[in-house]
Each structure stands twice: as structure tokens, then as C-alpha cells.
């Protein structure tokens, strides 16, 4: 009965989304207040309906209802409760319900928190969100019904993919989808602006919080996925430029450019066309990522039926094609009103957009070209880290350099020499870091450049705050000025510093060392100044798995440092094996061990010493914290004032 109610709730949500996609837009066109007001009520109704459907699906997983095909394929009664709950979205059907739930939450948030928006603009934004929801509700009901029954029901389910039975990947999809779907709101704002033919400072202020929230969630989602791959897959790396990774990185790049471009619209009413285009592009790349991961085009733990991919591709073409056709028709009306010199903060943000979009283009081509080459010419091409690193690095270096200089430049017109003079000590620290690392790392040039870039960014963020508070000019007043500094300024500096921390972690991984060794119990191997001793291998059992577990003690200069217990697990329900790496993490390095095969009492171990590896994810958390600080700024929640009428003679009315 509960699954039928959930199915009915999703069908009701589709009907409400259809009404939401038409009535408010029609009301805005006819200036009908009743129809425009109906948009908010329909958004609330759709949210309640999707919540009911999602709750019914989660109930089916928790009680292990084996009459539901989705539960049978992706759950098991012996699975821990956490993974029964998170298994709700650990499959294709459930993940799509999560997608429309977050989309409905966004629509409800625009209806609830957008009361200071002009009524017509709010109605159009809610209408576009409803239109996006229609396609995904139809996709779920027609191709991916999560409540499809199976009869006769089996005794138990087949179990969730063991790779997904992990806290990191359990919460990775919700964070990633909050980022993906968050860009649906900026997409809706862009479409509404194109329909109205107007983009102004108020529009930029309304868009920026949504862009910032989506960027923050997407940053956390990407970082959590990278962290999961690092410790769960047992390969010792953090990023492989895999197409699945790139699918989430592409909207992050476009969203970062959008976030900075919206600032210019809000402050100077410039870069209007840039901002609208980036808002469309960020959501288009989010849809592309969904298509690549969920269509079966890419081989991943998330892959689904290729036939469903045709439906997602149709949605992608309809939404993106329609939006860009609207952009081509109406973009000419978005004439910029704020003029600026090339050397200015606006100019620095234009350079930021150009470099980010160029990196995005490199990643997009490298990700899609092998698929097109295979489909069109039957040619198998592998595009891996060497291509991406070589092509993206020349674009990333000037981008990092500009990140510290840009905030020091005033609006409209700036003196580049004066800005660089205020950064002299940051440049000195970066040069010192470069020389020191070259002396210590020898021929490893790229890690040294990475450390210098990290110091430059962190010191540049500190220099920006010091300049804003007058720390070096008027030390006695610095504390009072710091207390009065907007949280958005603090958030921007913290986010830039977080990027520096992540770059430092990436540079540290460039100095990593590893070894593949075969050891008997009692034997040891020396790596990176540590003695790694295999004490023994034993059998252990978990709630729904059994495993072979090695015990490795690590010593340095005779003193015990850590005990690692890597495992090779077996899940009887799905008859699958997984590798569980053991990691001793400190701020200076990760000591990382993976257990391989055993033969004749000899265990194969892969050992890694990864300097500064935790800094990669620590920096991502700091970046998201910077986004949260900016979002907490009251100015982010207050709309820009409407232009005041002017009477003859120039005096304000």
C-alpha cells in the first residue's frame, strides 16, 4: 500500500509541476496577480507531494519490502540501517527521486524566501523551475518507476553495491545534487531575465546567493567523492581525471565563473551577457553530468540503462537548446551600463571568467572527444591525466596569480603597480617557498610551483584582509574595522585561502612515495624513513561481510607511530570483493596501506607515504566555509533597492 501511495504522490507532483510551469508564466505575461500568486502555492504543493513519494521509497528500503523491484535489486535485510536509508538514493531510480526532491525544495525556497522579488520575476522563475521539474517527473514515471512491484517476491534482496556501502559515498550524492540542482535556480533566473529583457543590480543580488549556495554544496560533494575514491578504492590517489569526476568538475568551473560574474552585475551592472550565459552554461553542464553518469555511457558504480539515457539526452537538448535559443533572441537587450578600464577589478574578473571557461573547455573536450571518436569513427582513444595536466596547467597558473591581485584592485579603474606594492610581502613569501622547495625536492619542479602558488594565495588573502582593515596603516583601528567588515569580504578571503590549502595538498602529493612489497609475518620494509612491519593476517567478520585483515605496525627511529589494519572484504549477498585501505592521517602526511592477495603465507601490500594529503580535503572544507560565511552576510538576504524616481531638475522624488 505504501509504495502505491508513493507512486501516486509522484504522479500528483507531475500534475502540480505542469500547472506550475504554465500558470505563473501566463500570469506574468498578462499581469494577472492571481495566476502569479498561484505559482508559489503550486511550488509548495509539489514539494509536499515529492516529500511524500520520497518518504514512501525510504520506508520501503528500511523495512526491506521485497515486493518492490528497486528494493530487491539494491538492498538486503542484513544491511546496516544507515545503508538502508542511504540506499534510497544509492541507485538510479532513487537518485532521480532525490533530484526532483531537491528541485522541489529549490522551488519552495524561491516561493518562501523570494517575497522581496518583483512579483512577475518570481512568477517566471517559479514557472521555469516547474518546467524543469515536468521533464524529470515524466522521466521517473515513464522510464524509472522506483515503486515497480515484483511478484512473487524473493526471500531477500540482492544487496547494495559494496562500494556504495560507505559513509563517504552515502552522503556524496545529496551534496552533489544540491550543487547540480542549485544551478537550476540560477538557470531559471537567467531565463526569466531573458524573457523580461532586463538584468540589473537587483537581479545580480538575487542570483548571487543561489550561485554561492550551489557552488558551496558542489565543492563539498566533489571533495567527498574524491575522498571516498582515495580511501575506498585503494589506489592511493585523489583525482584521476576520470570522466565521472570531470562530469562534476565541469559545472563547478562554470559555477565559479558565474559567482564572480554576478558580483560585477550587482556592483557595477556590467558583464550582464556574461552572467546570463554562465548561468545557462552551469546548469547545462549539470545536466550533461547527469546524462553521462546515469545514461550508461560511462562505466561507473552509478551507471544505468542506456535506453534511459536517450530520455535524459532529450531533456538536455530541450532545456539547453531552448534556453540558448532564448539567449540568442533576447541577449541583445542586455546592454551593459557600467564602463570600466581593462586594469580594474572588473577587468580582473573578466580575466577570471576567460581562464575558468578555457579550463572548462579543455576538460569538456578531453572528456567527450573519446566518446565521439568511438561512436563516429570506431576509434578507441584514451585521454588521461597527462593531457589534462599539460593542457590545464598553463591556464591555471595565471588564474592563481590573478586570484590574489584581483581583490586588491578598485572598481572601474585601478593602478596595477599600487596593488602589487601592497602584495610585496606575499610575493616574497611565495618566492621563498619556491626556492626552498626546489632546494629540497630537487628536479620536481611542479610541486615547488604548487607550494609557491599555495603560499601566494594564502598570503594574498591575508593581505586583502590587512588592506581592508588598515592593519599596516592604522594598527590601532584595525580591530574595529575588522569587526565592521562585511562577512562576504571575510568569506571571499577564506575561500581563496582554502584554495591555497588545497593546492598545497596537491603539491604535497607530487612528492608521494609508494612501494609494492611481499612480506611474511614478522618481516618489514622501509619506506619514507618509516619501518612498516607485517605482524600477521587474520579473519574478521562484519555485519554483512567477512574479511581478511592484515596488521601492520609502523615505527620511526624505533618509536611506534601507528598500527594499520587494511582489509579485503567479501560480501556474500552480492558475491563481491572490496579493498579497504587503512590510513593513519596527520597534518603532515598520510601513511596508507592496502592488502592484496596472499599466497603461501606471503601477503602482498601496497604502501604509500602521501605528504600533506589531508590538506586537499581540508582546503575544500575551508572553501565551503568561506561560502557559508558569505551567505550569512545580511546583504545576501536583502534585495537591492529599486531605483528611485527622479523629478524634473534632478532632485529625487
Amino acid at each position: 500500500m505504501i509504495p502505491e501511495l508513493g507512486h501516486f504522490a509522484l504522479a500528483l507532483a507531475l500534475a502540480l509541476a505542469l500547472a506550475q510551469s504554465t500558470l505563473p508564466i501566463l500570469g506574468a505575461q498578462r499581469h494577472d496577480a492571481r495566476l502569479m500568486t498561484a505559482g508559489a502555492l503550486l511550488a509548495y504543493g509539489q514539494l509536499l507531494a515529492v516529500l511524500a513519494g520520497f518518504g514512501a521509497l525510504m520506508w520501503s528500503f528500511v523495512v526491506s519490502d521485497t515486493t518492490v523491484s528497486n528494493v530487491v535489486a539494491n538492498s538486503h535485510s542484513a544491511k546496516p540501517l544507515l545503508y538502508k536509508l542511504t540506499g534510497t538514493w544509492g541507485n538510479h531510480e532513487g537518485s532521480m527521486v532525490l533530484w526532483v526532491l531537491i528541485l522541489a525544495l529549490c522551488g519552495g525556497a524561491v516561493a518562501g524566501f523570494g517575497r522581496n522579488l518583483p512579483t512577475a520575476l518570481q512568477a517566471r522563475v517559479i514557472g521555469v523551475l516547474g518546467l524543469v521539474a515536468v521533464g524529470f517527473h515524466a522521466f521517473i514515471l515513464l522510464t524509472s518507476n522506483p515503486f515497480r512491484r515484483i511478484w512473487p517476491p524473493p526471500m531477500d534482496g540482492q544487496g547494495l553495491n559494496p562500494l556504495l556501502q560507505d559513509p563517504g559515498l552515502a552522503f556524496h550524492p545529496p551534496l552533489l545534487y544540491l550543487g547540480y540542482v542549485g544551478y537550476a535556480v540560477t538557470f531559471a533566473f537567467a531565463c526569466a531575465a531573458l524573457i523580461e529583457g532586463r538584468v540589473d543590480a537587483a537581479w545580480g543580488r538575487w542570483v548571487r546567493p543561489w550561485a554561492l549556495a550551489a557552488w558551496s554544496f558542489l565543492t563539498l560533494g566533489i571533495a567527498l567523492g574524491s575522498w571516498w575514491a582515495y580511501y575506498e578504492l585503494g589506489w592511493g590517489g585523489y583525482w584521476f581525471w576520470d570522466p565521472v569526476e570531470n562530469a562534476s568538475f565541469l559545472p563547478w568551473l562554470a559555477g565559479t565563473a558565474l559567482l564572480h560574474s554576478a558580483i560585477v552585475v550587482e556592483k557595477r551592472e556590467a558583464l550582464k551577457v556574461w552572467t546570463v550565459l554562465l548561468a545557462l552554461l552551469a546548469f547545462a553542464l549539470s545536466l550533461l553530468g547527469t546524462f553521462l553518469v546515469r545514461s550508461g555511457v560511462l562505466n561507473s558504480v552509478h551507471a544505468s540503462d542506456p535506453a534511459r539515457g536517450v530520455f535524459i539526452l532529450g531533456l538536455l537538448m530541450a532545456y539547453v537548446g531552448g534556453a540558448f535559443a532564448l539567449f540568442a533572441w533576447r541577449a541583445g537587450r542586455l546592454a551593459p551600463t557600467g564602463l570600466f578600464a581593462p586594469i580594474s577589478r572588473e577587468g580582473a574578473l573578466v580575466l577570471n571568467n576567460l581562464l575558468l571557461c578555457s579550463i572548462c573547455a579543455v576538460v569538456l573536450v578531453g572528456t567527450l572527444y573519446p566518446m565521439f571518436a568511438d561512436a563516429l569513427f570506431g576509434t578507441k582513444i584514451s585521454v588521461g591525466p597527462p593531457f589534462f595536466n599539460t593542457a590545464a596547467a598553463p591556464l591555471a597558473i595565471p588564474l592563481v596569480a590573478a586570484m590574489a591581485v584581483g581583490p586588491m584592485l578598485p572598481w572601474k579603474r585601478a593602478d596595477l603597480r599600487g596593488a602589487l606594492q601592497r602584495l610585496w610581502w606575499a610575493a616574497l613569501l611565495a618566492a621563498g617557498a619556491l626556492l626552498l622547495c626546489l632546494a629540497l625536492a630537487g628536479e620536481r619542479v611542479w610541486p615547488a610551483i604548487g607550494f609557491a602558488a599555495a603560499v601566494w594565495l594564502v598570503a594574498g588573502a591575508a593581505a586583502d584582509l590587512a588592506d581592508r582593515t588598515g592593519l599596516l596603516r592604522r594598527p590601532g583601528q584595525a580591530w574595529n574595522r575588522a569587526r565592521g567588515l562585511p562577512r562576504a569580504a571575510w568569506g571571499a578571503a577564506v575561500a581563496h585561502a582554502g584554495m591555497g590549502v588545497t593546492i598545497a595538498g596537491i603539491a604535497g602529493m607530487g612528492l608521494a612515495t609508494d612501494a609494492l612489497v611481499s612480506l611474511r609475518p614478522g618481516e618489514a620494509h622501509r619506506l619514507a624513513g618509516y619501518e612498516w612491519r607485517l605482524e600477521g593476517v587474520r579473519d574478521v567478520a562484519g555485519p554483512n561481510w567477512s574479511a581478511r585483515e592484515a596488521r601492520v605496525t609502523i615505527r620511526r627511529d624505533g618509536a611506534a607511530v601507528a598500527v594499520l589494519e587494511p582489509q579485503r572484504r567479501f560480501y556474500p549477498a552480492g558475491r563481491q570483493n572490496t579493498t579497504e585501505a587503512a590510513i593513519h592521517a596527520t597534518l603532515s602526511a598520510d601513511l596508507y596501506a592496502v592488502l592484496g592477495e596472499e599466497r603461501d603465507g606471503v601477503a602482498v601490500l601496497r604502501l604509500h607515504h602521501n605528504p600533506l594529503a589531508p590538506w586537499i580535503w581540508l582546503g575544500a572544507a575551508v572553501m565551503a566555509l568561506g561560502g557559508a560565511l558569505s551567505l550569512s552576510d545580511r546583504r545576501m538576504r536583502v534585495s537591492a533597492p529599486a531605483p528611485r524616481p527622479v523629478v524634473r531638475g534632478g532632485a529625487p522624488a
Side-chain angles (χ1 to χ4, degrees), residues 187 280 283-285 287-288 315-326:
F187 173 84
L280 301 181
F283 185 57
L285 292 172
L287 290 178
L288 177 64
L315 292 178
L316 175 65
M317 294 175 64
Y319 291 139
V320 176
F324 278 101
L326 181 62

Side-chain angles (χ1 to χ4, degrees), residues 497-590:
M499 175 60 76
V501 174
T502 292
I503 291 175
I506 294 172
M509 286 291 286
L511 303 175
T513 55
D514 63 88
L516 183 63
V517 297
S518 299
L519 299 176
R520 295 181 182 275
E523 294 181 341
H525 179 81
R526 293 195 65 83
L527 175 70
Y530 294 89
E531 180 187 84
W532 307 63
R533 181 179 298 275
L534 176 64
E535 303 295 347
V537 183
R538 60 172 185 165
D539 291 319
V540 295
N544 61 334
W545 50 264
S546 59
R548 291 286 288 168
E549 180 181 271
R551 182 179 175 86
V552 180
T553 59
I554 303 176
R555 295 178 177 273
R556 183 164 191 153
D557 300 328
V561 175
V563 176
L564 301 183
E565 295 178 335
Q567 297 177 343
R568 285 180 56 83
R569 291 183 181 177
F570 174 68
Y571 289 80
R575 304 198 63 79
Q576 292 179 282
N577 293 290
T578 65
T579 299
E580 300 293 322
I583 305 173
H584 175 68
T586 66
L587 282 178
S588 60
D590 274 354

